[in-house]
Amino acid sequence: MEPPKMNPVVEPLSWMLGTWLSDPPGAGTFPTLQPFRYLEEVHISHVGQPMLNFSFNSFHPDTRKPMHRECGFIRLEPDTNKVAFVSAQNTGIVEVEEGEVNGQELCIASHSIARISFAKEPHVEQITRKFRLNSEGKLEQTVSMATTTQPMTPHLHVTYKKVTP
């Protein structure tokens, strides 16, 4: 069976496609957390629809135990550079982030965040993300976050090496 043809609406995001592995491990920090490192595997694909599918699976670098997981979709408003990033996370958060793709950089910020009724506090109130393809062909992701107790603060930075197209 032939792979589906990419929908032209998502062509501006084609640089994100593939399987990516953190290289080196990602780094996390936040005022209420001890700094930490993590490994992450990212799958970004399409099935011919006008959106990309994604999954992010992070693991403890020593024990390989699963940590944060999220999956969802990246949509582009046709004939624009406006992007929506829709994510469901294992922490009980569901979010919609919106922003723009410019060349090989995608900048998005939370538009709405919902959480399960028994989510741990403090609650996430805002998220910003930036994805960019660097000059070495590696994908970088930077995440900042605000919670009910902390203002917007850098939270994660990770660089990924592409392992499959």
Side-chain angles (χ1 to χ4, degrees), residues 40-117:
E40 189 159 58
E41 183 174 6
V42 177
H43 298 282
I44 302 175
S45 62
H46 73 91
V47 294
Q49 295 177 309
M51 69 196 69
L52 299 183
N53 308 312
F54 69 82
S55 65
F56 293 81
N57 298 296
S58 62
F59 303 88
H60 189 279
D62 300 324
T63 65
R64 300 286 199 255
K65 283 189 175 181
M67 293 169 62
H68 185 86
R69 301 174 66 97
E70 63 184 288
C71 60
F73 306 94
I74 306 172
R75 297 187 60 124
L76 258 149
E77 183 177 349
D79 303 317
T80 74
N81 68 340
K82 187 173 180 181
V83 176
F85 182 94
V86 181
S87 166
Q89 302 176 28
N90 65 336
T91 57
I93 294 175
V94 177
E95 63 177 291
V96 175
E97 298 174 29
E98 292 187 357
E100 295 182 344
V101 59
N102 291 300
Q104 294 181 328
E105 184 172 278
L106 170 61
C107 295
I108 49 180
S110 53
H111 175 272
S112 59
I113 298 176
R115 70 189 54 80
I116 58 177
S117 62

Side-chain angles (χ1 to χ4, degrees), residues 133-162:
L133 194 64
N134 70 23
S135 60
E136 299 170 356
K138 292 186 174 188
L139 182 66
E140 294 182 40
Q141 180 182 193
T142 305
V143 178
S144 293
M145 176 172 74
T147 67
T148 47
T149 62
Q150 297 293 322
M152 186 62 77
T153 305
H155 178 44
L156 304 171
H157 182 265
V158 61
T159 301
Y160 309 99
K161 181 171 82 174
K162 194 173 209 173

